[in-house]
Amino acid sequence: MKSKLLIWTIGAMALCLMSACANGDVQRVQKAEELLTVNRDSAMAILREVVRPDQLPEESKALYWFCVADIRANTMQSLSEDSMICWAAQYFRDRWLQDGAYEDYMMKAGMEEAFYWWWNDNKEKAQQVLQRQQRYAEEIAEKKGEHIWEVILLRISAELAMRDYDYEHVRDYTEALIRLGDEKAIHLDEVVRVYNGMAITYFYLGEYDKMEESFEKAIAHTSDSAFVVNVVRRNYADLLGEIGQTDRAIRMHEELATVYREGESWLLVESLYSLSRLWLNKGDKQRADRYMREAEELFETYKETISSPSAEAGLLAHRQVLNYALYGHYQMMPLATYNTQWQDKDYIRYRVAEAKERSMSDLREQVLRQKLAKQRQTILIIGLVGVVLGLCLLSVYLYRRRQRLLLEKEEEIETLRNMLASADKPDDKESVRKLMLQQLGVIKTIAGTPTEANQQLLARLMALNEETANALIDWPSIYKTIDLVYDGFYTRLVQKYRNVLNEKELQLCCLLKADFSTKEINMLTRQSLQTIYQRKTQVRQKLNLAEAEDITTAII
């Protein structure tokens, strides 16, 4: 029975340890999910502390892989190795189809699943996933009248198509987004950006009329006037120049240059560069050179504060073309020097990135060491549990050994029991007194092994009735024995402290000298433990002894 109890105890403690670890990982996943939109670096650091995500409950496991993919998708990292996002998306999808729960997770995880297939160069599968998510978005819109998911899905679909230079699909998705109407697409407050992107798409598809129409619609919206001035109108002017409408492009860029001068914007460099290019196309080399010089001087003033490699490369390339038009020769060294400088900068950036990766590797090793430390701590806890269990087993062994010794003691006092069988007769009291004096060592043995049977025996021995309890102890004989055994202890005690200690206190000192414990004195004299402790305190006070000082040692 006790062996089974130990086995159950070990199992329960192991389950408690496993449960504590599992609960800790679940809480880490929940904390990381809370930090997704606040601090993704901290969220990822917390997720790295989850050692065995495969042992999480299904809900927490799905949330874990969702968080990992979401962080990577929003930090432009590859999702090519995040295959578990497909499982997580299926989990949230099943829950949503079952009871409508996890709508946000279902939609976001589906989009991340599309990114996973895209990163693995399975564009067809990515499009299938996005189309499936679009159907769910339409279903949500029909039920709730909210079109936010439709807008997000169309924007992401257009973005992936743009990455693949698939302008036809970009056009289809963007047109579908526009068809939703401003009152629906306005959720993202990006109507102007939608039309701007649509115009650029039409340009690449050669649909120039639709390009101009989209630019005009973008300009007509005043929700983001800064974007219109800084991006839309500049794109519009540049693309007009590309399709041969040079005069319109020049007028638009001159208007923009005036605005940029008033606002002291560095975009004036871009407009001046475009004007130089447009005037060169018209054949006015001098005016093109004038605009170019102004652009180059202005670029130098912004170069230290605004890094624009593409703008600098464009200016250098255009300067070489312009010099060829002006002087009839082409210089290679400026572009070669620029390329060399950027190669050097790229090398430095590569080394810096390498150092960062090394730092991240060191950090990962540090995290691994922390995990190993936690594992050692767990092993230590298990070891302590083993020690506790070992102590329990030792206690069981000692208990059984004590029981065996008690049985041996029972045999030793069996003779005493037989003698006491006749103690109930009144005329045998004198013989019992003598027997107790002769068996004082046996009485001490009985008092030191307080089994129920021994207590009953001691009760019979010491209190045949309440009136004769004290009479059963022949104190004069005990005093003589104490003097004989302990070198006149009782006589010296009386001579020195007769006027200080009363009879009960003298008896207590003698029993303590005979090495009787408090419990034994309690059983022998039938005094309560509290009474004995009080008398000990009184003796110390009368003899001016410290609380912890031994009474018998202090008495000479």
Side-chain angles (χ1 to χ4, degrees):
M1 182 65 181
K2 291 177 180 177
S3 299
K4 291 182 178 179
L5 180 61
L6 287 174
I7 293 173
W8 279 105
T9 303
I10 295 172
M13 296 182 74
L15 287 174
C16 288
L17 287 172
M18 293 174 63
S19 176
C21 294
N23 288 336
D25 282 344
V26 170
Q27 292 174 357
R28 290 186 185 96
V29 173
Q30 292 173 347
K31 183 63 176 177
E33 194 275 335
E34 293 173 2
L35 292 173
L36 273 185
T37 57
V38 181
N39 191 328
R40 290 190 176 91
D41 290 338
S42 297
M44 181 57 82
I46 293 173
L47 291 173
R48 289 195 184 100
E49 295 179 3
V50 180
V51 182
R52 296 295 302 272
D54 56 306
Q55 294 183 355
L56 289 168
E58 280 203 344
E59 180 181 4
S60 298
K61 188 194 301 183
L63 187 60
Y64 171 86
W65 291 113
F66 164 78
C67 291
V68 170
D70 187 79
I71 291 170
R72 288 175 178 161
N74 284 281
T75 53
M76 300 303 293
Q77 298 182 53
S78 170
L79 272 69
S80 58
E81 302 302 314
D82 292 277
S83 60
M84 284 300 293
I85 189 58
C86 300
W87 176 87
Q90 182 66 51
Y91 173 83
F92 291 127
R93 189 159 58 250
D94 291 341
R95 292 295 303 274
W96 179 74
L97 292 172
Q98 179 181 354
D99 51 22
Y102 297 106
E103 177 183 302
D104 289 357
Y105 296 115
M106 184 274 296
M107 293 302 299
K108 292 179 181 178
M111 289 183 276
E112 290 162 6
E113 181 185 1
F115 276 105
Y116 164 76
W117 291 114
W118 185 86
W119 278 105
N120 281 283
D121 201 28
N122 193 337
K123 309 300 173 57
E124 182 180 354
K125 183 67 175 178
Q127 288 298 323
Q128 290 175 1
V129 173
L130 288 173
Q131 290 170 8
R132 180 197 67 204
Q133 294 301 109
Q134 189 66 41
R135 291 195 298 272
Y136 292 148
E138 292 170 359
E139 184 177 341
I140 293 171
E142 184 178 351
K143 289 181 179 179
K144 298 184 176 181
E146 297 178 356
H147 299 267
I148 184 67
W149 290 119
E150 288 183 282
V151 172
I152 294 174
L153 259 298
L154 288 170
R155 291 299 304 275
I156 288 178
S157 300
E159 178 187 342
L160 289 182
M162 182 65 79
R163 292 185 187 182
D164 295 329
Y165 303 100
D166 184 358
Y167 296 111
E168 291 184 358
H169 277 102
V170 174
R171 176 193 59 198
D172 295 340
Y173 291 129
T174 309
E175 287 179 348
L177 181 62
I178 292 173
R179 283 196 298 271
L180 286 175
D182 297 350
E183 70 280 1
K184 298 174 183 177
I186 202 68
H187 283 295
L188 295 180
D189 194 25
E190 291 188 345
V191 177
V192 177
R193 288 170 171 79
V194 170
Y195 281 120
N196 179 71
M198 191 73 253
I200 295 172
T201 302
Y202 284 135
F203 167 77
Y204 283 112
L205 292 173
E207 301 179 31
Y208 302 135
D209 292 339
K210 290 184 177 181
M211 176 197 78
E212 291 194 46
E213 181 182 352
S214 295
F215 273 132
E216 293 296 337
K217 287 182 178 181
I219 294 172
H221 282 274
T222 58
S223 57
D224 194 343
S225 58
F227 184 79
V228 169
V229 173
N230 296 335
V231 179
V232 178
R233 293 180 64 189
R234 192 158 52 85
N235 288 341
Y236 195 1
D238 285 337
L239 295 184
L240 283 175
E242 290 296 318
I243 64 176
Q245 298 190 31
T246 308
D247 292 336
R248 289 181 62 191
I250 289 175
R251 286 196 301 272
M252 194 173 292
H253 267 301
E254 286 178 344
E255 292 173 0
L256 288 171
T258 301
V259 175
Y260 294 151
R261 279 195 178 93
E262 293 175 355
E264 297 183 352
S265 171
W266 80 277
L267 291 174
L268 177 59
V269 175
E270 298 282 352
S271 282
L272 293 171
Y273 160 70
S274 296
L275 284 167
S276 176
R277 176 175 52 82
L278 291 168
W279 281 111
L280 182 60
N281 288 338
K282 282 181 68 68
D284 192 338
K285 302 175 185 178
Q286 299 304 320
R287 188 172 292 186
D289 185 52
R290 191 181 72 222
Y291 278 118
M292 188 59 184
R293 290 181 185 280
E294 185 180 357
E296 290 171 334
E297 291 175 4
L298 188 62
F299 181 78
E300 289 299 321
T301 63
Y302 288 109
K303 190 174 181 179
E304 297 298 326
T305 57
I306 298 176
S307 176
S308 181
S310 60
E312 187 172 3
L315 289 172
L316 282 172
H318 182 62
R319 169 50 68 185
Q320 305 316 307
V321 173
L322 187 57
N323 284 344
Y324 181 79
L326 289 169
Y327 310 115
H329 66 273
Y330 179 84
Q331 293 179 319
M332 180 190 70
M333 288 308 296
L335 279 175
T337 303
Y338 176 80
N339 290 333
T340 302
Q341 290 175 349
W342 273 102
Q343 286 178 354
D344 293 341
K345 291 179 180 179
D346 284 341
Y347 176 78
I348 294 173
R349 282 194 293 268
Y350 169 75
R351 288 302 183 187
V352 170
E354 187 179 47
K356 288 183 178 179
E357 179 59 31
R358 186 168 59 251
S359 176
M360 290 298 296
S361 177
D362 294 341
L363 180 61
R364 286 192 290 269
E365 290 182 4
Q366 183 179 2
V367 171
L368 180 60
R369 286 194 293 271
Q370 291 175 350
K371 290 179 181 178
L372 290 175
K374 289 183 179 179
Q375 290 176 352
R376 293 191 190 98
Q377 188 177 23
T378 302
I379 293 173
L380 177 60
I381 293 173
I382 294 174
L384 291 175
V385 171
V387 171
V388 171
L389 292 176
L391 292 175
C392 291
L393 292 173
L394 180 61
S395 299
V396 171
Y397 167 76
L398 293 176
Y399 173 78
R400 290 181 176 178
R401 182 172 178 274
R402 186 169 180 270
Q403 291 295 104
R404 186 175 66 253
L405 293 174
L406 289 175
L407 291 175
E408 293 175 358
K409 293 297 182 181
E410 288 288 347
E411 292 176 359
E412 291 177 4
I413 63 175
E414 184 62 28
T415 303
L416 180 60
R417 278 201 188 92
N418 295 333
M419 292 181 179
L420 287 173
S422 61
D424 292 331
K425 300 178 182 180
D427 56 344
D428 288 338
K429 291 180 180 178
E430 183 65 23
S431 62
V432 172
R433 294 192 191 96
K434 292 180 180 179
L435 180 62
M436 287 187 64
L437 290 174
Q438 294 171 358
Q439 298 295 330
L440 189 59
V442 176
I443 294 173
K444 185 175 184 298
T445 299
I446 297 171
T449 54
T451 63
E452 183 177 356
N454 285 352
Q455 289 183 24
Q456 293 176 358
L457 176 62
L458 191 61
R460 292 183 60 200
L461 184 67
M462 299 302 301
L464 294 176
N465 57 64
E466 290 296 325
E467 290 77 12
T468 60
N470 290 327
L472 287 173
I473 302 177
D474 189 347
W475 286 106
S477 299
I478 291 178
Y479 293 150
K480 291 179 182 179
T481 304
I482 291 294
D483 267 342
L484 180 64
V485 175
Y486 298 101
D487 195 22
F489 175 84
Y490 173 72
T491 300
R492 287 183 283 109
L493 178 67
V494 172
Q495 289 175 351
K496 192 170 184 179
Y497 300 109
R498 165 58 71 183
N499 298 327
V500 178
L501 302 176
N502 59 36
E503 187 64 21
K504 294 292 184 183
E505 292 166 349
L506 292 172
Q507 294 172 4
L508 175 64
C509 292
C510 289
L511 293 176
L512 291 174
K513 186 65 178 179
D515 201 28
F516 278 81
S517 68
T518 302
K519 183 64 178 176
E520 292 166 351
I521 296 171
N522 158 250
M523 293 183 177
L524 183 63
T525 64
R526 312 304 294 170
Q527 299 174 11
S528 68
L529 291 173
Q530 183 178 3
T531 299
I532 296 171
Y533 284 125
Q534 288 177 348
R535 286 204 172 121
K536 282 184 177 181
T537 300
Q538 290 171 357
V539 169
R540 286 191 175 92
Q541 290 175 349
K542 290 181 179 182
L543 301 184
N544 295 322
L545 302 178
E547 183 65 26
E549 191 172 353
D550 182 69
I551 293 175
T552 57
T553 303
I555 298 173
I556 300 175

